């Protein structure tokens, strides 16, 4: 009997921080995980602004490979406007969902069950099915309404994982890539996926350096 494909759904919203999403997707591929990708309309603009590369429905394979800087593995792309897509249904088999980065609008929409696009709908589905959902807000500072939405997400079962990198792996000399990988690694930790994206704290001061 052939095992049924069970991907991680990765939702990329329009918040700044698309390098976090790219690092998470690359690490999932490296771990041998399948990925279902949803890129919001706003995220396309952010990817273009932060990388100079477009992300187009008709050319998503080439655009994804360019964005990631590598060949792509087991991935299915679902347009954000496709509310009939597989991840919109609880019967669609998925391991869970990672929303990275998560804009304030995406957090609010998921928290209140708005389902304005496939990203929000898929996150709501994974929450109701009690699957792991990791939400990575990057906005700072935050308003009271944003905090309330994050609390609602926490209470619904999501892991709220702000994009706040630690410095104990490389210290003040940490590169941007190391800080990005730290957050991507924490996302994979929360999802229970093995990785080697950062040096773990060992209890010895300065050991990782």
């Amino acid at each position: 009997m052939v095992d049924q494909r069970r991907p991680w759904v990765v939702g990329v919203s329009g918040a700044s921080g698309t390098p976090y999403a790219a690092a998470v997707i690359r690490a999932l591929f490296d771990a041998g995980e399948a990925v279902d990708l949803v890129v919001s309309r706003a995220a396309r603009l952010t990817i273009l602004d932060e990388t100079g590369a477009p992300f187009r429905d008709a050319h998503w394979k080439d655009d994804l490979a360019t964005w990631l800087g590598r060949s792509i593995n087991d991935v299915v792309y679902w347009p954000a406007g496709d509310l009939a897509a597989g991840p919109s249904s609880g019967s669609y088999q998925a391991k869970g969902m990672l929303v990275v980065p998560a804009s304030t609008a995406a957090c609010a929409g998921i928290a209140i069950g708005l389902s304005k696009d496939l990203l929000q709908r898929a996150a709501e589905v994974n929450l109701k099915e009690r699957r792991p959902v990791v939400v990575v807000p990057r906005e700072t500072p935050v308003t009271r309404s944003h905090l309330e939405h994050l609390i609602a997400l926490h209470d619904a079962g999501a892991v709220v994982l702000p994009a706040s990198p630690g410095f104990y792996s490389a210290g003040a000399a940490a590169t941007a890539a190391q800080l990005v990988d730290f957050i991507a690694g924490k996302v994979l930790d929360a999802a229970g996926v093995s990785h080697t994206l950062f040096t773990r704290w060992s209890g010895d001061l300065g050991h990782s350096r």
Side-chain angles (χ1 to χ4, degrees):
M1 181 178 178
V2 178
D3 291 338
Q4 186 174 10
R5 180 179 182 272
R6 291 190 66 220
W8 285 98
V9 182
V10 177
V12 186
S13 80
S16 176
T18 57
Y20 294 123
V24 165
I25 296 168
R26 286 192 293 262
L28 287 171
F29 287 160
D30 290 342
E33 298 284 348
V35 172
D36 274 21
L37 180 63
V38 181
V39 179
S40 75
R41 292 181 179 179
R44 298 186 196 190
L45 297 176
T46 309
I47 292 170
L48 180 63
D49 182 60
E50 294 184 343
T51 70
F55 196 96
R56 302 159 293 181
D57 285 349
H59 304 280
W60 71 266
K61 287 186 178 180
D62 291 338
D63 290 348
L64 179 59
T66 298
W67 177 32
L68 299 182
R70 57 168 288 176
S71 59
I72 60 177
N73 294 15
D74 184 355
V75 58
V76 172
Y77 171 69
W78 301 97
D82 185 3
L83 289 175
S88 69
S89 172
S91 66
Y92 184 79
Q93 289 295 290
K95 291 185 176 180
M97 184 164 181
L98 316 174
V99 184
V100 50
S103 66
T104 54
C107 290
I110 298 166
I112 66 174
L114 185 60
S115 293
K116 64 167 274 188
D117 60 12
L118 180 60
L119 187 153
Q120 293 182 16
R121 172 60 184 169
E124 182 185 2
V125 163
N126 279 279
L127 285 173
K128 79 179 182 68
E129 296 296 327
R130 299 296 190 264
R131 298 170 188 152
V133 174
V134 183
V135 178
V136 185
R138 196 221 51 84
E139 192 76 29
T140 186
V142 294
T143 65
R144 181 183 180 87
S145 65
H146 190 200
L147 291 171
E148 289 173 345
H149 290 138
L150 295 180
I151 290 172
L153 289 171
H154 173 273
D155 290 348
V159 173
V160 177
L161 198 156
S164 304
F167 286 81
Y168 53 76
S169 291
T175 65
Q178 287 173 312
L179 299 178
V180 167
D181 281 350
F182 183 91
I183 294 302
K186 295 293 284 186
V187 172
L188 267 65
D189 279 354
V193 177
S194 297
H195 67 88
T196 57
L197 288 171
F198 58 76
T199 302
R200 298 186 182 278
W201 176 248
S202 65
D204 295 328
L205 290 174
H207 174 75
S208 60
R209 298 188 291 279

